[in-house]
Amino acid sequence: MAKRRATSVSSQRLSLSRKGNSRLGVWVRRLLWIAMEIAFVGALIVAVACAAYAYRITDQITERFEGKRWKVPSRVYSDLLTVLPGDSLGEIGLVPRLQRLSYQDTKAATLSPGEYRVTPEAIDVFLRDFLYPWERAKGYWLRIERQGGTVKRLLDVAQSRELPSAEIEPELIARFFGDHQEDRDLVAIEDVSPHLLNAIVSIEDKRFYHHFGFDPIGFTRAMLTNVVKMRMAQGGSTLTQQLVKNFYLSAEQTVTRKAKEAVMAFVLEQIYTKDAIFEAYLNEVYFAQEGSISVCGVGQASRFYFGEDVRTLGLADSALLAAMIRSPAGYNPSTRMEKAKGRRDYILKLMHENEMITTEQYQNALAEPVQVLKRKPGKTVAPYFIDFLRKELDQRYGPDILISEGLSIFTTLDVQTQRNAESALKDGLIQLEKDYPKLVGKGKDPVQGAIVVIQPQTGYIRAMVGGRNYYESQFNRATQAKRQVGSVFKPFVYAAGFQRAFEDRDFEFTPATIVIDEPFTLNIPGGKPWTPHNYEREYLGPVTVRKALEKSMNVPTVKLAVNVGIKRVRDTAQAMGIETPLEEYPSISLGAADLAPLEVASAYSTLANQGTHAEPLAVRDIVDAQGNVLEKKPVRIQRVLSPEAAYLTTSLLEGVINRGTGARARGLGFRHPAAGKTGTTNDYKDAWFVGYTPKTLAAVWVGFDDHARSINLAGSRAALPIWTRFMIEQVGKGPAVDFERPEDIIVRKIDPETGLIPVYDCPTIIDEVFLDGTEPTEECDLHKDSIIEIFKKNILPEKP
């Protein structure tokens, strides 16, 4: 009985237990079903929300992707360097130029693109590829054989061929940015090295060509790896997601942003091809920081790190570039070489495992050292010139085009010349303040200056310095400051005289023509009588035209101007390059006109170019991002003086430097043939010197911005030393070249006091230049009646 009751209780308990388990199972199943329903509804809601979001953002995605994706800055280049046999290596500054272009000095027997080697016999340079406006130049091994400091012969080493000339590529001197300072060189995917494409896919998204924008498999694998390693060892974003984040979204780390990123990546891949997306990624990705400028895109990164076109990038360098994408600072080969090499080698391993490269390629790439360009801290080149250029281009293209269309602007500037000019002005003004402490006023603006350098034959502006410090004052005194020119204007009077004599042989005007240096008064129609004076109020009586200009004498110059014709003088100055309208008053002959250094330099270049004026040029060519030439600025020349008139004027100006008001240049060590003129205003507020050799012309102005202050120094003291500093550095290392004399200019001996044929007792005899047929025919009458002359005539027998 008891046993039966126990069995019954046990059965009841089992029954209750089964009932309990059954009820629990029902509830579990119900909860699971509810959870599934909720998950389904939630997923449906999420899917609907994603679909709605995708539909809503489709237009936004296509508008950005198909519109203007990037604002690509215009790049401004210097002029190229043409090397010729006979060139002075010091004068053309070849090695410093190669260094500025980030060519790497090497001692290796074999060169690679972007390397150079210097030996006592030659300079070897492996030139890089470069896209000129007229051609895509292929790099080659150039050997510049030298004899001392002179180029002896040019050779294409690979072709064993002698060259008549060689061109070294231009230097990048500026970029025109908008609000965002991002520099990129847009490339098409077919123009990118296959090694680089494979390297990026291997490390960043190996399933790129198989997923639909968001890769669940890759995301899951990355998350599991991160959990195992307990750190963010891998990222889960596809290339498409990375592009979306950079292109459309912010960098915030939130679930919402990540969800948007995934949806937008999916939409992007439904609309565009993989190659179109990859190409956008290649141009968008960030690589480095160059000062305040971001280096973006593989095209620009390849040039920045290796100095090489991305289409020819090798395997090892491709892997190194791909290594930097994840963390440009963390894997920067310039600062963290070992870390960068480790990641590069890991990428090469992945490429080998994925059968993208052979074992031999893999091993060779591993053996390559990590080598990137050694870059010096960037320095702004020619800021005054760049401002001048940008204002000129803004008028033709508009500012938006310049900051967004990726134009290549090839200028006439020479960087070595620019640096020489900047140093000469800076050091010259400092020395001036040391020599004349009164120039330094407490609490007042410092003494300023400007230099313009022009190549006379082309009008190319080779250098422009508009002040002593651009960052303290952006006012460009080379182009914007119109200051009284003083005696710098006088050569236009003499050039007009020589030109009139060339056209009218009855008009007497030669270097030996006598003019009387004595006070006189001019009656000005409608004005007060004007009496010009010499600076020191000293008058020498009869002087030659040569002496009048060499000594910068006022009274003879005004007399000559009146004789030649004031209108002719004015018209000659304007034709030679003075753009500012000039009044037809006699006082302009003494420089009573406010002119900018650039136009004065331009006018003087006509003399240096044998009477042909070349319009000043800052731009040579402008090319768009596709390589189409938008603008080609030809050299515009016009004959305004005969070669004879220009040469005779130059000859007088040579005398200014050799023995006249510019003789201090010789005392300071400048020995090359040169012509020039000092300029000083009556109140000593402006000091000038403009001088030239056959190939280089430089104009220098010195003064205070405040027109009320005077420097109390003549041009020979303030401006001439700066000009001399520049010319010694610029041309002093090269061979001396004399001015070419026209065929019908003859040389005759004269007495410098009378300008006539010398007689036996003339104390001084000089060589003088004349237009053939205008030389003196009479003997010096000043010394004819001397004792020696009388003795010769009456005692000595006549020559048979």
Side-chain angles (χ1 to χ4, degrees), residues 8 32 59 74 107 120 144 181 188 250 269 276 405 470 477 503 558 563 580 605 651 700:
S8 176
L32 288 174
D59 288 345
S74 294
K107 303 299 180 186
I144 304 170
Q181 293 196 329
S250 66
E269 294 229 4
E405 295 299 326
Y470 176 81
R477 296 154 191 85
E503 296 170 357
V558 176
N563 191 30
T580 300
S605 72
S651 177
V700 178

Side-chain angles (χ1 to χ4, degrees), residues 364-435:
N364 289 340
L366 283 177
E368 285 191 32
V370 172
Q371 289 184 322
V372 293
L373 296 182
K374 296 175 183 177
R375 291 182 172 272
K376 296 180 179 179
K379 180 183 177 183
T380 303
V381 178
Y384 290 104
F385 176 83
I386 297 301
D387 279 359
F388 170 74
L389 178 72
R390 187 160 191 168
K391 287 176 183 176
E392 181 181 318
L393 296 177
D394 274 349
Q395 295 174 358
R396 299 209 293 272
Y397 294 94
D400 188 58
I401 296 293
L402 294 180
I403 66 172
S404 63
E405 295 299 326
L407 305 182
S408 292
I409 301 161
F410 295 88
T411 73
T412 62
L413 188 98
D414 179 75
V415 176
Q416 188 64 42
T417 303
Q418 176 69 27
R419 291 194 170 191
N420 290 342
E422 289 174 351
S423 296
L425 183 65
K426 178 183 175 182
D427 296 343
L429 291 178
I430 291 173
Q431 187 62 50
L432 200 62
E433 290 171 333
K434 288 180 180 178
D435 294 342

Side-chain angles (χ1 to χ4, degrees), residues 207-225:
R207 282 177 35 83
F208 173 69
Y209 286 101
H210 305 288
H211 60 62
F212 48 82
F214 175 76
D215 185 11
I217 296 174
F219 180 79
T220 303
R221 183 181 62 250
M223 292 305 101
L224 288 174
T225 302

Side-chain angles (χ1 to χ4, degrees), residues 91 454 456-457 608-609 670 672-675 691-698 723 727 731 737-739:
E91 187 174 346
I454 286 181
Q457 291 73 26
N609 195 28
F670 185 59
H672 283 48
Y692 54 93
T693 63
K695 293 183 179 180
T696 302
L697 181 143
W723 179 88
M727 294 300 282
V731 304
V737 179
D738 214 338
F739 294 99

Side-chain angles (χ1 to χ4, degrees), residues 137-157:
K138 183 70 176 173
Y140 66 98
W141 186 335
L142 169 68
R143 174 163 293 159
I144 304 170
E145 294 183 355
R146 61 178 180 167
Q147 191 166 18
T150 303
V151 177
K152 180 182 177 183
R153 195 165 63 136
L154 301 169
L155 293 173
D156 181 334
V157 174

Side-chain angles (χ1 to χ4, degrees), residues 598-654:
L598 176 59
E599 59 182 323
V600 175
S602 173
Y604 266 68
S605 72
T606 303
L607 299 172
N609 195 28
Q610 300 177 318
T612 297
H613 177 250
E615 180 182 313
L617 281 178
V619 175
R620 290 188 60 173
D621 303 278
I622 298 179
V623 179
D624 68 14
Q626 289 72 46
N628 303 309
V629 178
L630 301 181
E631 189 174 333
K632 188 172 185 64
K633 297 281 281 186
V635 174
R636 293 178 180 157
I637 59 174
Q638 182 180 4
R639 167 73 64 188
V640 296
L641 293 174
S642 66
E644 292 80 5
Y647 180 83
L648 291 171
T649 309
T650 292
S651 177
L652 300 189
L653 295 176
E654 284 188 275

Side-chain angles (χ1 to χ4, degrees), residues 150-321:
T150 303
V151 177
K152 180 182 177 183
R153 195 165 63 136
L154 301 169
L155 293 173
D156 181 334
V157 174
Q159 302 293 327
S160 299
R161 180 167 56 96
E162 187 169 351
L163 304 172
S165 63
E167 292 175 340
I168 310 298
E169 71 259 32
E171 302 177 54
L172 179 65
I173 58 176
R175 287 162 285 201
F176 292 152
F177 291 101
D179 295 334
H180 301 289
Q181 293 196 329
E182 294 182 349
D183 196 13
R184 51 172 51 84
D185 185 7
L186 298 183
V187 295
I189 192 169
E190 59 267 21
D191 292 331
V192 177
S193 166
H195 289 313
L196 181 57
L197 299 178
N198 289 334
I200 292 174
V201 168
S202 294
I203 191 62
E204 293 295 326
D205 188 2
K206 71 177 183 179
R207 282 177 35 83
F208 173 69
Y209 286 101
H210 305 288
H211 60 62
F212 48 82
F214 175 76
D215 185 11
I217 296 174
F219 180 79
T220 303
R221 183 181 62 250
M223 292 305 101
L224 288 174
T225 302
N226 294 338
V227 169
V228 170
K229 295 191 175 183
M230 299 184 69
R231 62 184 177 89
M232 286 296 293
Q234 293 184 9
S237 294
T238 64
L239 288 183
T240 313
Q241 286 178 276
Q242 293 179 45
L243 176 64
V244 164
K245 180 184 71 174
N246 294 334
F247 234 45
Y248 301 101
L249 302 173
S250 66
E252 62 177 342
Q253 297 291 332
T254 64
V255 175
T256 303
R257 201 272 295 159
K258 198 70 178 175
K260 288 180 179 180
E261 178 187 290
V263 174
M264 294 180 86
F266 175 79
V267 172
L268 198 65
E269 294 229 4
Q270 306 314 302
I271 302 174
Y272 301 104
T273 65
K274 288 284 187 179
D275 280 355
I277 293 169
F278 199 3
E279 182 176 291
Y281 176 88
L282 294 170
N283 286 305
E284 171 65 22
V285 64
Y286 168 80
F287 277 98
Q289 200 70 24
E290 185 181 13
S292 62
I293 300 168
S294 299
V295 178
C296 300
V298 296
Q300 183 62 16
S302 179
R303 294 194 183 281
F304 179 79
Y305 280 110
F306 310 113
E308 190 171 342
D309 193 311
V310 72
R311 71 182 67 198
T312 59
L313 203 60
L315 174 58
D317 289 342
S318 292
L320 183 61
L321 209 57

Side-chain angles (χ1 to χ4, degrees), residues 53-70:
Y53 179 68
Y55 178 78
R56 183 165 58 85
I57 64 172
T58 298
D59 288 345
Q60 175 189 343
I61 290 174
T62 55
E63 181 181 357
R64 173 72 196 277
F65 201 84
E66 295 175 11
K68 188 161 188 60
R69 303 176 193 174
W70 303 279

